Amino acid sequence: MVVASSMMIRTKKTKAVGIPTIDLSMERAELSKQVVKACEEYGFFKVVNHSVGKEVISTLEEQGAEFFSKTAAEKHRAGPATPFGYGCRNIGPNGDMGDLEYLLLHTNPLTISDRSKTISNDPIKFSCAVNDYIESTRELACEILDLVGEGLRLQDKYSLSKLIRDVQSDSLLRINHYPQMVKPKSWDPSLMKGNSNSSIGFGEHSDPQILTILRSNNVGGLQISTHDGLWIPVPPDSNEFFVMVGDALQVLTNGRFTSVRHRALTNPLKSRMSMMYFAAPPLNWWITPLSKMVTPHNPTLYKPFTWAQYKQAAYSLRLGASRLDLFKLQQQQDSNLVPPSP
Ligand SMILES: C=C1C[C@]23C[C@@]1(O)CC[C@H]2[C@@]12CCC[C@@](C)(C(=O)O1)[C@H]2[C@@H]3C(=O)O
Ligand SMILES: O=C(O)CCC(=O)C(=O)O
Ligand SMILES: [Fe+2]
């Protein structure tokens, strides 16, 4: 059974909903069952008792805060984000906007070392902080994917983690900074969230990758969408990590897991900083349902595609697009079915 956190959430339109919280120190067989259940029900869960060191987290947090406290001119030296580097308000190449600034980095150590020169006055310190954080969150992502492998009883329980362990992995790291947002002078009403004081920091979307490992400071703002389209605010927890199922894992599980739609709102009183490790395979690897997930009763739902093809599709679309629709196979009509008589 997935344990609901003690903090129950009540919003105007929903019944109380708990964010599944999974204790990674529990007995393995039960743990793998809980991970699969949370992936199926929400595509989202919080993990506690993980093995990422406190210092690894706080060092990157300090480096991020130091960067975002610089002047706009200094920060723009690390931009524009096309797609990597420093971005401010622009998200992606298709006109999406949000009330945030960010650093988007590829996880390849050589590119990090190169980028760090425009980001920090102490590039070695910055790149070490980033590399240590990536190494730890990659391990956490692999651990979770191995648990998925066990829970789904895959023949090779490591087949999912292998996708992101490869040296050519296309995984990314993003550090988002949402400034404390009081109504700006030139206010764009389209960025307001209903009648609340918050604006949209990062609009609704699913992540294209396999898995996202997210952590933020103790300021709320992240919301996830349930399968019936209701928004659930996620209580922040700076010591723990949140795990999101991405589009690629939806395909690998042939739709048994669904990628979670989520968004981030700004906070009118406090600034928020979040860090995401987006776990992805190498560009030329194929994303196709695992053979165990395809049966005569559960035929394959997606056309095979490479990660590069999927990324290209994602980058050609707006942030909130349902990009997986482009890769869905038409459902086979059962030829034995007789159409209903008029
Ligand atoms: C609008 C966009 C930003 C994005 C690329 C895209 O065209 C659609 C997907 C977006 C997203 C969401 C998760 C993280 C991210 C880095 C990714 O891989 O896909 C972002 C892209 C981005 O910010 O560049
Ligand atoms: O900042 C957050 O909490 C979420 C950001 C996000 O969803 C993303 O960068 O893909
Ligand atoms: Fe996201």
Side-chain angles (χ1 to χ4, degrees):
M1 195 191 69
V2 170
V3 185
S5 70
S6 54
M7 172 86 85
M8 298 301 272
I9 303 145
R10 203 175 281 280
T11 66
K12 259 188 250 165
K13 292 189 211 151
T14 62
K15 54 188 184 302
V17 178
I19 300 295
T21 298
I22 296 180
D23 182 345
L24 289 180
S25 68
M26 84 173 78
E27 187 270 323
R28 194 91 189 164
E30 177 58 22
L31 180 55
S32 60
K33 266 193 223 155
Q34 287 202 11
V35 168
V36 167
K37 188 161 193 271
C39 288
E40 286 173 338
E41 287 182 359
Y42 293 86
F44 182 85
F45 56 95
K46 170 171 158 176
V47 289
V48 300
N49 279 319
H50 57 79
S51 53
V52 182
K54 281 197 162 58
E55 212 176 304
V56 171
I57 299 173
S58 61
T59 308
L60 186 61
E61 172 114 10
E62 279 160 27
Q63 289 295 306
E66 194 176 314
F67 173 77
F68 291 119
S69 70
K70 290 181 173 207
T71 63
E74 281 173 314
K75 288 186 277 195
H76 281 294
R77 276 188 58 221
T82 52
F84 302 123
Y86 172 71
C88 184
R89 290 180 57 85
N90 279 305
I91 302 172
N94 303 311
D96 291 282
M97 303 284 277
D99 279 325
L100 87 161
E101 54 180 347
Y102 62 87
L103 278 172
L104 181 58
L105 304 169
H106 196 278
T107 57
N108 178 315
L110 289 177
T111 58
I112 289 169
S113 142
D114 204 36
R115 282 267 164 207
S116 299
K117 294 175 197 152
T118 58
I119 295 173
S120 172
N121 303 334
D122 189 344
I124 294 181
K125 193 170 176 192
F126 183 84
S127 55
C128 284
V130 168
N131 287 328
D132 288 350
Y133 187 86
I134 288 170
E135 215 174 283
S136 300
T137 46
R138 185 203 294 121
E139 271 318 303
L140 178 57
C142 287
E143 174 67 6
I144 290 159
L145 290 173
D146 291 345
L147 285 162
V148 169
E150 282 171 50
L152 294 177
R153 298 181 189 283
L154 301 181
Q155 209 172 7
D156 174 7
K157 73 164 194 167
Y158 302 119
S159 53
L160 290 168
S161 62
K162 273 181 196 159
L163 293 166
I164 64 170
R165 271 198 199 281
D166 194 274
V167 279
Q168 307 274 21
S169 149
D170 186 45
S171 300
L172 310 178
L173 179 79
R174 181 178 210 139
I175 310 178
N176 287 341
H177 176 237
Y178 303 90
Q180 164 204 6
M181 192 48 73
V182 284
K183 201 176 168 187
K185 275 185 209 131
S186 57
W187 185 244
D188 174 356
S190 69
L191 293 177
M192 283 293 281
K193 161 57 206 110
N195 55 6
S196 85
N197 287 328
S198 302
S199 62
I200 298 284
F202 205 111
E204 172 181 357
H205 66 286
S206 61
D207 292 344
Q209 290 80 4
I210 295 174
L211 213 61
T212 301
I213 306 289
L214 178 149
R215 182 243 159 226
S216 78
N217 65 355
N218 265 325
V219 178
L222 178 65
Q223 299 191 335
I224 59 164
S225 171
T226 56
H227 292 315
D228 41 11
L230 301 165
W231 286 109
I232 312 283
V234 177
D237 186 339
S238 61
N239 296 316
E240 310 298 356
F241 288 91
F242 294 95
V243 179
M244 298 195 205
V245 169
D247 298 341
L249 190 53
Q250 176 170 335
V251 174
L252 289 159
T253 59
N254 201 25
R256 178 151 162 194
F257 299 172
T258 317
S259 58
V260 63
R261 292 187 75 77
H262 56 282
R263 66 183 182 184
L265 305 185
T266 59
N267 188 298
L269 302 175
K270 294 176 196 152
S271 71
R272 175 165 179 268
M273 194 158 81
S274 60
M275 303 161 179
M276 275 69 50
Y277 170 73
F278 301 107
L283 285 168
N284 58 354
W285 285 25
W286 289 89
I287 308 288
T288 179
L290 298 162
S291 52
K292 178 85 195 270
M293 310 310 292
V294 180
T295 62
H297 286 293
N298 220 356
T300 182
L301 297 175
Y302 305 96
K303 301 171 200 162
F305 53 86
T306 63
W307 172 241
Q309 287 168 334
Y310 194 62
K311 260 189 94 169
Q312 195 184 11
Y315 274 90
S316 69
L317 296 171
R318 296 295 296 264
L319 180 63
S322 299
R323 47 191 104 86
L324 266 183
D325 289 352
L326 296 176
F327 297 88
K328 271 193 186 141
L329 282 170
Q330 295 291 343
Q331 288 297 301
Q332 290 271 310
Q333 293 294 320
D334 187 338
S335 51
N336 296 324
L337 275 182
V338 181
S341 42

